[in-house]
Amino acid sequence: MPKISVVVPVYNAGDYLAPCLDSIIQQTYTNLEIILVNDGSTDGSAEVCERYRRQDSRIRLVHNPLGGGGVGSARNTALPLITGDYVLFVDNDDWLEPNHIEFLYQSLTETGSDIAIANFTEFIEERQAFHFHLQAEDYYQKIYTPEEWFAKEYDTQYCLSQCFTVPWCKLYKTSLFENIIYPWEEKVEDDYTTWKIYLLAERIVFSNISLYYHRKRSTSVTKTVDIPSVFPTKSIEERVTMLSLLGYDTSAELRAYRWRLQLHADYYLEKGMMREYQRCLQKIRLLEK
């Protein structure tokens, strides 16, 4: 049974951290290395991490002395510490089905893939309600090349676009993360990084089954940061450049780029940030011409 590393960035997770960690240590796949990176929590999360470290020898705990570096910085701290053959990420307020890791591992090994991906269910914290976007009859499993998987990047059916972007709900071969660095200076790092790991893979298996519970909170990063940070244009500019060099179809990226530029322009105009607004209009005009 190969070792699988589970990386959990921790920052002020409050009462959600213990259920998250319970769902990991109770997995049916047991040969785990659980790496907790406490990024300067001030709400008692550090104490929870220490308590679980003492209870379970599979847990390794790192306290970032400075803290405040964000999720990207916490992941960068964890990556050199990974000793498992495979790695997955879990957000500190989410939780897993008991067979989450075992299912992904079997999917990956049985199909000879480099990345195994599953779907998820949202839990709306304010309403204490689940948002189900999958039914049992929606299940399918399919193997993709990276180019074929990129065609799903903006597919909204079954929340595939979110499945594409987020780092969680996936099991990766650890070797794919050689030279991967998460941007620590960006407020939302997913859109800058996950796609690069896909390009390093040969085969990607996606299973349309919910095995992960993603908690939506009013204080989550995507709810509290500005629109340009949630939907960055710089990440698409980088993707268009790389995909073009690889000979991929970039038409979907360009459509998304135009949409994001207009979104940014509207935001900057509302905020009275006229220099940024004019920069967006300039790019929109160039694309239209």
Side-chain angles (χ1 to χ4, degrees):
M1 181 182 286
K3 184 193 295 182
I4 294 177
S5 298
V6 183
V7 174
V8 186
V10 177
Y11 179 73
N12 288 354
D15 295 335
Y16 309 120
L17 181 56
C20 171
L21 298 181
D22 285 338
S23 76
I24 297 171
I25 64 178
Q26 294 168 8
Q27 287 289 298
T28 56
Y29 193 100
T30 58
N31 191 17
L32 303 178
E33 169 188 62
I34 304 166
I35 302 175
L36 309 182
V37 181
N38 172 41
D39 192 37
S41 297
T42 58
D43 70 336
S45 293
E47 182 181 358
V48 175
C49 290
E50 287 286 0
R51 185 171 75 247
Y52 275 81
R53 180 187 62 80
R54 291 192 295 267
Q55 292 174 357
D56 195 316
S57 61
R58 297 174 299 174
I59 292 178
R60 301 171 64 191
L61 174 58
V62 178
H63 294 288
N64 273 345
L66 297 179
V71 176
S73 177
R75 292 198 181 107
N76 288 338
T77 298
L79 289 178
L81 305 177
I82 291 171
T83 63
D85 301 293
Y86 306 94
V87 59
L88 62 85
F89 299 97
V90 182
D91 280 1
N92 64 185
D93 52 358
D94 296 343
W95 71 98
L96 312 177
E97 283 282 1
N99 66 331
H100 176 86
I101 296 175
E102 183 176 12
F103 182 94
L104 289 175
Y105 173 72
Q106 289 178 345
S107 299
L108 187 147
T109 55
E110 290 172 1
T111 61
S113 298
D114 303 299
I115 303 173
I117 305 171
N119 215 310
F120 66 97
T121 295
E122 283 186 346
F123 181 76
I124 313 302
E125 181 65 26
E126 290 182 336
R127 301 204 313 263
Q128 290 291 292
F130 291 95
H131 175 212
F132 297 99
H133 59 267
L134 288 181
Q135 304 295 325
E137 59 268 23
D138 296 325
Y139 174 78
Y140 67 87
Q141 185 176 89
K142 187 173 180 179
I143 300 170
Y144 297 90
T145 64
E147 186 171 7
E148 291 167 341
W149 181 238
F150 265 84
K152 298 293 183 182
E153 181 177 3
Y154 298 106
D155 190 340
T156 57
Q157 186 181 31
Y158 306 128
C159 289
L160 287 176
S161 59
Q162 190 167 355
C163 288
F164 183 97
T165 304
V166 297
W168 36 265
C169 255
K170 301 171 178 66
L171 182 67
Y172 314 83
K173 285 185 176 178
T174 302
S175 57
L176 297 176
F177 284 86
E178 185 176 356
N179 300 319
I180 289 291
I181 298 176
Y182 284 89
W184 58 89
E185 70 279 10
E186 303 294 345
K187 297 176 183 176
V188 180
E189 85 295 339
D190 304 358
D191 201 43
Y192 292 89
T193 313
T194 308
W195 63 273
K196 297 175 184 176
I197 304 167
Y198 296 144
L199 290 179
L200 294 169
E202 297 293 335
R203 292 160 66 91
I204 299 165
V205 58
F206 173 75
S207 302
N208 202 31
I209 183 174
S210 173
L211 297 171
Y212 188 103
Y213 294 94
H214 177 54
R215 194 185 302 269
K216 300 288 283 187
R217 301 161 56 192
S218 59
T219 57
S220 64
V221 172
T222 54
K223 293 285 188 179
T224 55
V225 304
D226 55 272
I227 288 293
S229 296
V230 177
F231 299 102
T233 55
K234 187 169 67 174
S235 60
I236 297 187
E237 291 169 353
E238 189 177 11
R239 277 199 297 275
V240 167
T241 300
M242 185 58 66
L243 297 181
S244 297
L245 290 171
L246 293 172
Y248 284 26
D249 179 8
T250 60
S251 56
E253 294 286 355
L254 292 174
R255 286 194 298 272
Y257 186 57
R258 291 187 181 94
W259 179 82
R260 290 191 184 189
L261 279 174
Q262 189 60 59
L263 193 69
H264 286 209
D266 294 343
Y267 173 85
Y268 290 135
L269 180 60
E270 180 184 354
K271 298 295 182 181
M273 302 169 68
M274 301 314 296
R275 183 175 297 180
E276 291 82 357
Y277 171 68
Q278 289 173 328
R279 286 195 186 112
C280 291
L281 291 187
Q282 182 184 59
K283 291 180 179 181
I284 291 170
R285 185 177 179 187
L286 287 170
L287 288 172
E288 288 175 346
K289 184 176 186 298

